[in-house]
Amino acid sequence: YRMHRAIMDYPSRVLYEGRLEADAAVAAHLLRDLPGIAGSEVAQTPLRFIDTAGCGFDEETEPEGESKANAGEADLAARMVEELAALGLPAGAIGVITPYSAQVRALRDRLAALGPDLEVDTVDGFQGREKEALVISLVRSNDRGEVGFLSDVRRMNVAITRARRHLTVIGDSATVARDPFIAGFIAHCESQGAYRSAWEFR
């Protein structure tokens, strides 16, 4: 009773043996179906993976701790949130998820102008919640292929299943696709015509 079919299909197939079914009331619902939403490509798109591979968006470890941030990816994620807000979607209907607290802080700073109703939080902070539109910043981008928290399939499942009508996931496929679950998700997006390169948004 939450997700568009295109968002639900991958976790259903991989984690629930295909047993999840989208109710007819939500299976095809999109942002454009909400009152007051301007028509645009994103309003008609339930799912997209934006690949930052080759863009030079490298992760950094914060000096005073072990948390990771990715400034280039934070800027791109913020622009995707601003695009959603420009459709007429209220800030309270949009969520931003990232697995690292340093990236949460960077995104909150970058998106402060949208006000307190916009929720930017870690995966655990969104447990049990849902939003009409969701942007996920995966952060990890390194030459070692280290994915850290992203290898926790349970957490990744929670993250991608919070969205009702639209899900944008941003990540560096050269790094994050080292994880089998994420590699499968990217392949699912490709099969849905939902794969985009970050170069398109520069």
Side-chain angles (χ1 to χ4, degrees), residues 29-108:
H29 67 176
L30 296 165
L31 292 176
R32 70 179 182 192
D33 301 323
L34 293 170
I37 299 300
S40 75
E41 180 188 353
V42 72
Q44 302 175 62
T45 303
L47 177 67
R48 60 184 179 179
F49 177 81
I50 302 178
D51 191 353
T52 66
C55 290
F57 293 173
D58 296 331
E59 68 181 62
E60 296 179 348
T61 303
E62 60 181 356
E64 66 278 12
E66 291 300 313
S67 192
K68 310 287 184 187
N70 186 320
E73 193 172 292
D75 182 66
L76 178 58
R79 285 191 285 131
M80 297 304 98
V81 172
E82 289 161 353
E83 176 187 30
L84 291 165
L87 296 176
L89 200 60
I94 306 169
V96 187
I97 293 179
T98 183
Y100 291 93
S101 57
Q103 189 79 336
V104 169
R105 291 189 287 273
L107 283 161
R108 284 177 177 166

Side-chain angles (χ1 to χ4, degrees), residues 117-166:
D117 290 342
L118 176 70
E119 291 190 61
V120 182
D121 213 335
T122 60
V123 179
D124 291 344
F126 266 89
Q127 181 93 33
R129 311 289 304 287
E130 60 184 51
K131 293 289 182 179
E132 299 293 351
L134 199 69
V135 176
I136 300 176
S137 169
L138 297 180
V139 178
R140 301 308 298 260
S141 179
N142 58 73
D143 294 334
R144 304 172 303 281
E146 294 176 356
V147 299
F149 293 153
L150 304 184
S151 64
D152 185 334
V153 172
R154 184 192 64 82
R155 276 198 171 104
M156 286 305 303
N157 181 49
V158 167
I160 65 176
T161 57
R162 301 303 96 198
R164 288 174 48 78
R165 298 170 189 264
H166 176 83

Side-chain angles (χ1 to χ4, degrees), residues 8 10-20 157-158 161:
M8 184 206 69
Y10 180 67
S12 176
R13 176 163 43 86
V14 174
L15 300 176
Y16 300 100
E17 299 177 346
R19 293 195 301 266
L20 294 184
N157 181 49
V158 167
T161 57

